[in-house]
Amino acid sequence: MPAPTVRMRRLASELRRLRKAADLTREGISERTGINEATLYRIETARARPQARTLASLLDVYEVTEPRRTELMTLLKQSAHRGWLNTFSSDLPERYTSYIEFEAEAREVLNYECLFIPGLLQTERYARAAISAVLPECTREEIESRVDARMQRQAALTREQPLKLWAIVDEAAIRRVVGGRAVMAEQLQHLSAITELPTVNLQVIPFDAGAHPGMPGSFVVMDFAEAIGPAIVYIDSQAGDLFLEEEADISRYNLVFTHLRAGALSPSASAELIAAAARDERPGRGA
């Protein structure tokens, strides 16, 4: 089954919220509407796209009025749109395609990385080296598909209404040599250039800052236009990818990011650190 689009996930999330607010079980909804419980489960988990009449029946039961009713019906109409992801969806894991869908719809991304350069800021050679090392079980074709997708994602930074990116990285991500010194030097030079964009901010947490709230691991907070829905948090780990949509989780990660931003070097001081690291990685220097 193709990965659900961001709008389809948003619709599913809203339908779950409406049912719980009405204090109804899926069994109770099935009795009132005749919609099969299994179908309701698939709709509420974004595994199935409801028909317009099915959605209308659910909104009747939940007593949803205008203008929210029209907004949700419009969300259903738009939920089949996938954009450029069609090219890759059959080659990429479902969780990754879901992430790409969310990112493509986001208006702002807060990204903290403890060991890697953020994907939206990676060069092609760095991305290939990083993916190859992290996923040694992948075939060459699978690696290239991921690299191509990562490069296409970066178009969001220069589109007509560009994605706003605020990235914070631990100094370890700047100092770790991925792909060799030439690849790393190119990557660091690219960071210096890409952060000239007015919608891109990059900060570095230096080693001498000591312990900080980001040490447990990397995360991404994505914020959307009001018509699409509230923010979400994405966490990528060895145990699997995780999307968090509860308000308490979003607030917690926003607070962590605020603390990280306060503890990191300023964007200008970060740029100086990155430029110095780039000079250190130029071929011909050191042993």
Side-chain angles (χ1 to χ4, degrees):
M1 184 190 78
T5 67
V6 62
R7 287 176 173 84
M8 190 167 162
R9 282 180 174 268
R10 281 298 174 202
L11 181 59
S13 177
E14 181 64 10
L15 290 175
R16 290 196 307 272
R17 187 193 68 78
L18 287 169
R19 180 174 58 77
K20 291 176 181 178
D23 196 24
L24 291 168
T25 63
R26 292 194 187 98
E27 182 181 5
I29 296 298
S30 181
E31 290 174 355
R32 294 189 182 201
T33 63
I35 302 171
N36 184 275
E37 283 186 61
T39 300
L40 286 170
Y41 171 78
R42 289 172 59 78
I43 289 172
E44 288 189 356
T45 55
R47 287 173 169 80
R49 183 171 175 267
Q51 295 182 345
R53 65 175 179 272
T54 300
L55 178 58
S57 296
L58 292 173
L59 298 182
D60 287 342
V61 172
Y62 301 144
E63 299 181 353
V64 178
T65 58
E66 298 294 350
R68 187 57 178 155
R69 187 182 184 93
T70 296
E71 290 173 358
L72 292 173
M73 295 300 291
T74 300
L75 197 59
L76 173 63
K77 293 177 183 177
Q78 297 173 340
S79 65
H81 176 68
R82 304 200 68 87
W84 63 269
L85 184 60
N86 277 332
T87 308
F88 299 98
S89 57
S90 62
D91 300 323
L92 300 173
E94 179 182 338
R95 283 289 188 174
Y96 188 37
T97 57
S98 296
Y99 177 85
I100 294 173
E101 287 283 358
F102 277 110
E103 186 183 75
E105 295 285 355
R107 62 181 177 185
E108 182 176 16
V109 166
L110 308 178
N111 186 187
Y112 165 70
E113 295 289 343
C114 48
L115 293 174
F116 293 100
I117 302 300
L120 286 170
L121 303 179
Q122 292 179 8
T123 64
E124 182 174 339
R125 292 205 296 169
Y126 179 99
R128 184 174 292 108
I131 293 168
S132 299
V134 172
L135 300 172
E137 74 280 6
C138 281
T139 65
R140 184 185 299 273
E141 290 74 19
E142 289 170 336
I143 290 170
E144 289 307 314
S145 181
R146 285 174 176 262
V147 172
D148 289 345
R150 188 163 297 181
M151 294 302 100
Q152 290 209 36
R153 283 170 50 203
Q154 297 177 5
L157 298 176
T158 54
R159 65 194 182 196
E160 186 174 348
Q161 293 185 318
L163 173 69
K164 296 178 181 178
L165 172 65
W166 198 300
I168 300 176
V169 299
D170 193 283
E171 187 175 349
I174 302 298
R175 298 295 182 182
R176 182 173 297 279
V177 179
V178 174
R181 298 186 67 175
V183 170
M184 199 64 199
E186 177 188 56
Q187 173 63 73
L188 296 175
Q189 291 163 5
H190 175 68
L191 288 181
S192 297
I194 198 69
T195 50
E196 292 295 322
L197 293 174
T199 53
V200 176
N201 285 289
L202 176 62
Q203 290 179 267
V204 178
I205 301 178
F207 287 140
D208 60 16
H212 59 76
M215 292 179 72
S218 304
F219 63 89
V220 179
V221 181
M222 288 180 274
D223 188 41
F224 304 90
E226 185 176 352
I228 295 178
I232 63 168
V233 173
Y234 172 78
I235 302 171
D236 181 11
S237 72
Q238 292 284 3
D241 302 349
L242 181 64
F243 291 102
L244 304 176
E245 301 184 62
E246 296 296 329
E247 187 175 340
D249 292 321
I250 295 165
S251 296
R252 178 160 54 92
Y253 278 93
N254 271 318
L255 180 61
V256 169
F257 196 86
T258 297
H259 282 292
L260 292 173
R261 188 159 51 191
L265 297 173
S266 68
S268 58
S270 297
E272 292 175 5
L273 185 152
I274 291 168
R279 290 192 294 272
D280 290 343
E281 295 303 335
R282 284 184 305 190
R285 290 184 60 92

